[in-house]
Amino acid sequence: MSSYLIMIGIFDSGIGGLTTVRALMDTLPGHDLIYFGDTARTPYGSKSRETVIRYAIENTEFLIERGATVIVIACNTASSVATEVLMEKFHIPVFEVITPAVEMAIRQSPRHRIGVIGTRGTVNSGIYERLIKAQIPGASVFSTPCPLLVPLVEEGWFHRPETRMIVKKYLHPLKVRQVETLILGCTHYPLLKAVIQEKIGRRVRIIDSSVAVADKISRFFIDHPDLDRAVSRNGNADLFVSDITDQFEKTAGTILKRKVVLNRV
Ligand code: DGL
């Protein structure tokens, strides 16, 4: 075997994508990971398609320069507009968070009534609905943008009454349509999973895209034992961001459930 090493590089518009890092750490313990959070240019959810694509290319170049040979787009907004461009431009495996969540939701929705929440960028792109209907043309897909949830998570307002009230209001239209599954189509929403579950109802299955993509990547390595043997496994996670504040470090620590050191680039 050559000295070629497989290393997973993950990027997001900010620190929310650390939910995917956490899911990968749980699913693929020991894999070396390198993360880039574009905290200086966040949020992506309200930016144009062209801008998000440009940022996604730059982020991928950064990760490849640092040794990444597999790319994971943890950001739903970037996944929805930049995946094809990255696949064409960089000839390495590129994973995004949307397809795995769609596949998981379809498996768990026997009546094909699926709810989706995300940023305006993701919801307006219509990607979840398109991918679900490509597989199940008669599916009923109900999507709602929840733009206030990202800032609430970044403020650490996980259990505040204001957050509970806003979640309830956003989820009301999906609840009355009796969705069976609810896709959390944004990096930050897994951190509000408990309140989301409470407000949408106990019977609705929550689909966490960070868990879905980690599951898909783990199956990819099982299917490609040659690549699996070349994985760099020292249990390192290098975390880079384009801007640092105390609040970013605090939220990053909450997501990874440990004290983290962010490196500014
Ligand atoms: N990372 C983004 C996403 O998953 C949420 C934050 C943002 O708008 O940049 O869509």
Side-chain angles (χ1 to χ4, degrees), residues 12-13 42-46 74-77 119 122 150 185-188:
D12 177 41
S13 57
T42 199
Y44 284 8
S46 50
C75 177
N76 284 255
T77 309
T119 62
T122 299
V150 166
C186 174
T187 43
H188 291 54

Side-chain angles (χ1 to χ4, degrees), residues 4 60 95 116 120 127 142 146 171 195 199 212 228 235 243 245:
Y4 179 74
T60 303
F95 291 89
V116 181
R120 276 195 214 288
I127 181 106
F142 306 98
C146 303
L171 295 185
V195 57
K199 299 300 177 196
D228 188 53
D243 190 19
T245 65

Side-chain angles (χ1 to χ4, degrees), residues 19 23 101 104 182-184 186 190 193 206-213:
T19 51
M104 200 178 254
L182 176 65
I183 299 178
L184 306 186
C186 174
K193 200 164 170 177
I206 304 281
I207 308 295
D208 179 338
S209 46
S210 65
V211 173
V213 72

